[in-house]
Amino acid sequence: GAGVSQSPRYKVTKRGQDVALRCDPISGHVSLYWYRQALGQGPEFLTYFNYEAQQDKSGLPNDRFSAERPEGSISTLTIQRTEQRDSAMYRCASSLDSYNSPLHFGNGTRLTVT
Amino acid sequence: SQKIEQNSEALNIQEGKTATLTCNYTNYSPAYLQWYRQDPGRGPVFLLLIRENEKEKRKERLKVTFDTTLKQSLFHITASQPADSATYLCALDPGTGTASKLTFGTGTRLQVTL
């Protein structure tokens, strides 16, 4: 594809429900990253993968958050038992590798927990 | 604690002038620094990368400097145009030379007027 694709674009869910956010990276990109961005702030690191291996998940806020990339391509960020404080823009990015390659970001999923 | 500081106030300049944006950091020893542009409702877009052993990097009307002694990077846009209006983010690697955990500043909004 031309760029990083994220779906859904918008997600409204009730508190306590589980949500799954999808990221389709640029074909051939080894590394995939999940960030969260609050309004007026820069992206905040959540987790990243090289191929299918999760290399660092130190940015995940708590154990309700998890991510997977089972075949080294598409990734899913899952939030269980959502809370209002989880409301944010969730952004996925991919890069050729995890060295000093630039990140290519998707347009994000806006999550609203009511 | 580690901190990246960008001027949170918007920078307003007249078309044709040079815009200079600042990124200061503390308690980091980055191997490189990246600059991104972000338009409203979109993901950040990579602009330039500068390594710790490089003092200056140029790309068309853009110039980035990196002073590891001052712990500062300056981002210049010469002959600015209204189309340059956007938020500009700096991002640092964690010092390992990998992009495993790029940390972003809060960004500075640039407004170029006619």
Side-chain angles (χ1 to χ4, degrees):
Chain A
V4 176
S5 177
Q6 291 187 248
S7 60
R9 186 79 175 90
Y10 300 94
K11 177 69 177 177
V12 180
T13 190
K14 290 189 188 303
R15 188 178 56 184
Q17 297 293 306
D18 298 350
V19 295
L21 312 181
R22 174 188 165 117
C23 173
D24 196 347
I26 293 173
S27 178
H29 277 195
V30 168
S31 302
L32 184 146
Y33 310 80
W34 283 100
Y35 281 81
R36 181 167 67 176
Q37 187 171 20
L39 200 60
Q41 301 294 314
E44 175 193 20
F45 172 82
L46 296 177
T47 184
Y48 99 101
F49 295 81
N50 276 344
Y51 300 104
E52 73 282 357
Q54 191 170 22
Q55 299 291 328
D56 187 332
K57 57 180 182 179
S58 62
L60 296 177
N62 51 61
D63 60 8
R64 295 186 297 106
F65 287 72
S66 63
E68 63 174 8
R69 193 186 184 198
E71 296 178 1
S73 179
I74 292 169
S75 176
T76 303
L77 177 70
T78 301
I79 309 173
Q80 295 179 310
R81 304 180 303 281
T82 52
E83 301 177 5
Q84 284 189 319
R85 59 178 171 155
D86 300 333
S87 298
M89 177 68 80
Y90 289 84
R91 296 198 187 277
C92 174
S94 68
S95 65
L96 278 173
D97 56 49
S98 63
Y99 294 95
N100 52 22
S101 297
L103 302 188
H104 298 261
F105 281 86
N107 285 330
T109 294
R110 167 72 66 189
L111 175 66
T112 302
V113 183
T114 61
Chain B
S1 62
Q2 295 179 320
K3 193 185 295 185
I4 301 172
E5 291 182 339
Q6 294 186 258
N7 195 338
S8 58
E9 291 185 14
L11 178 64
N12 295 295
I13 66 164
Q14 199 172 21
E15 182 181 22
K17 303 291 187 184
T18 296
T20 299
L21 287 72
T22 304
C23 176
N24 295 299
Y25 59 92
T26 53
N27 295 323
Y28 278 97
S29 298
Y32 59 88
L33 185 149
Q34 300 184 17
W35 281 90
Y36 289 76
R37 168 186 172 137
Q38 187 169 24
D39 291 285
R42 309 298 295 269
V45 174
F46 171 79
L47 295 175
L48 279 169
L49 178 151
I50 186 164
R51 293 178 175 79
E52 60 177 338
N53 60 352
E54 298 176 315
K55 296 293 185 191
E56 183 180 294
K57 199 80 164 285
R58 291 176 185 262
K59 179 183 176 183
E60 297 172 353
R61 296 184 294 111
L62 308 181
K63 184 178 86 171
V64 172
T65 62
F66 193 9
D67 190 324
T68 55
T69 301
L70 291 179
K71 296 187 182 298
Q72 180 182 78
S73 176
L74 299 178
F75 178 81
H76 306 272
I77 305 175
T78 58
S80 59
Q81 305 166 0
D84 295 327
S85 299
T87 295
Y88 292 85
L89 300 154
C90 70
L92 306 182
D93 82 290
T96 62
T98 73
S100 58
K101 199 171 172 177
L102 264 189
T103 303
F104 285 81
T106 55
T108 298
R109 191 164 65 86
L110 172 67
Q111 184 70 43
V112 181
T113 55
L114 295 171

